[in-house]
Amino acid sequence: MNRLKGIGKKAYSVWCTAWFVLPFLTSYPLFRVLIAKPNRLKHAHQLNRLWSKFQLRMYLMPVKVRGVEQLDPTQKYVFAPNHSSYIDIPMILAAVPGFLNFVGKKSLTKVPLWGKIYNALYISVDRDSPISSAKAYIASKQSLEAGRSIVIFPEGKISPESGSKLLPFKDGPFKLAIEKQVPLVPITMPYNHLFLPDVKGKLIIRYHPLEMIIHPPISTEGMTLQDLEFLKNQTFTLIQQTLDQKNHEHQHRNLTPAGAFSPA
């Protein structure tokens, strides 16, 4: 029985890897055409969204998204999600509407093939470099001014206790939301680390239902930088409490989210 389970897990891992890689390789030539000119980037982003939706469907597990109806499609936002897995970005792309811009670590630009696309579409940052961080912040402000919402993981990296205990939040997304007077939206993804854990040097994929909670937007209208710590602590507490609640539910009953994946 254990041997059969082991074979099943390996087969599922191969299946998911194939449905991640094959659609990307098929669409890669079109990606290259779309990122060649700035006026095509929005279409490249939409192609990225389609790829994300398709791969999530092909992983054959239920994905529940809560709270997307609270978002105004005409409004710019700063989204602040917890960071627990490399599936986080596809989840957000598939579920959150609008022309999004992500702030991610510079190493993503060095990934074969995908790195060129990420570098053209989104903002990269070397968090160990003050100059790189400053440039990423300026690019984020310019992106909001151009009408693109921003997604910034306030932890800065994946926590060793991802899905359970948050790392201390950095100031960036909260300072940005206050300075540009746009709503900040906390996002909690409690189970991504169970599906695709961040294990150095290993690719581990486990079948597990996923869930995303898009919390009500927090207005920053009238806030100043003196309110930064309050906004940061409010967001941290909300996401941490939601993770605690979901962990409690997961430990005390079998988690079987109802409903198929149906992002906007």
Side-chain angles (χ1 to χ4, degrees):
M1 182 63 71
N2 287 337
R3 186 178 179 183
L4 286 175
K5 285 183 179 180
I7 293 172
K9 288 179 180 178
K10 288 181 180 179
Y12 182 68
S13 181
V14 171
W15 171 270
C16 291
T17 301
W19 285 111
F20 174 83
V21 173
L22 292 177
F24 173 70
L25 292 179
T26 303
S27 58
Y28 182 71
L30 181 56
F31 266 121
R32 291 303 300 267
V33 170
L34 293 176
I35 65 174
K37 293 187 178 181
N39 63 350
R40 299 175 183 168
L41 292 181
K42 191 169 185 177
H43 301 297
H45 176 76
Q46 290 301 331
L47 181 58
N48 200 11
R49 171 169 283 146
L50 286 174
W51 173 41
S52 297
K53 288 183 178 182
F54 183 73
Q55 63 174 280
L56 285 169
R57 287 188 185 276
M58 294 309 299
Y59 296 159
L60 307 178
M61 77 278 183
V63 181
K64 181 187 291 184
V65 179
R66 302 176 182 271
V68 72
E69 72 282 352
Q70 302 172 103
L71 302 178
D72 180 353
T74 66
Q75 172 69 54
K76 296 173 292 185
Y77 297 100
V78 174
F79 293 97
N82 68 301
H83 198 13
S84 63
S85 169
Y86 285 105
I87 199 68
D88 294 348
I89 290 179
M91 280 275 289
I92 294 168
L93 275 168
V96 178
F99 187 16
L100 305 177
N101 204 343
F102 289 84
V103 178
K105 58 185 181 180
K106 195 172 184 65
S107 61
L108 290 173
T109 65
K110 299 178 182 179
V111 176
L113 300 181
W114 166 245
K116 292 183 180 294
I117 297 168
Y118 186 90
N119 196 44
L121 275 176
Y122 307 122
I123 299 168
S124 62
V125 58
D126 178 358
R127 299 191 184 278
D128 295 326
S129 167
I131 294 175
S132 178
S133 296
K135 287 182 178 179
Y137 187 79
I138 292 170
S140 298
K141 290 174 69 173
Q142 292 171 339
S143 188
L144 281 172
E145 291 165 0
R148 291 180 71 178
S149 292
I150 292 285
V151 181
I152 304 178
F153 296 99
E155 294 170 277
K157 60 182 180 180
I158 296 176
S159 168
E161 299 179 81
S162 57
S164 177
K165 187 176 181 181
L166 295 170
L167 290 171
F169 280 3
K170 298 181 181 299
D171 291 346
F174 312 101
K175 181 181 179 183
L176 183 65
I178 290 172
E179 286 193 344
K180 302 308 294 182
Q181 294 286 282
V182 299
L184 183 129
V185 183
I187 294 178
T188 304
M189 294 177 284
Y191 306 123
N192 289 7
H193 67 293
L194 298 176
F195 172 75
L196 184 62
D198 180 35
V199 181
K200 190 173 182 178
K202 294 182 180 180
L203 175 64
I204 299 174
I205 302 174
R206 303 187 184 102
Y207 180 90
H208 196 283
L210 300 178
E211 185 172 357
M212 174 188 291
I213 300 99
I214 301 172
H215 300 282
I218 302 172
S219 174
T220 61
E221 187 175 353
M223 284 189 181
T224 69
L225 291 181
Q226 292 182 338
D227 300 302
L228 190 152
E229 287 299 320
F230 171 79
L231 180 62
K232 182 169 67 173
N233 292 336
Q234 180 183 8
T235 305
F236 182 96
T237 300
L238 177 60
I239 295 176
Q240 185 63 65
Q241 287 180 344
T242 306
L243 288 176
D244 292 342
Q245 176 189 343
K246 291 298 177 179
N247 281 326
H248 178 78
E249 292 175 1
H250 189 267
Q251 291 168 5
H252 287 81
R253 64 180 175 85
N254 290 328
L255 185 65
T256 52
F261 185 75
S262 55

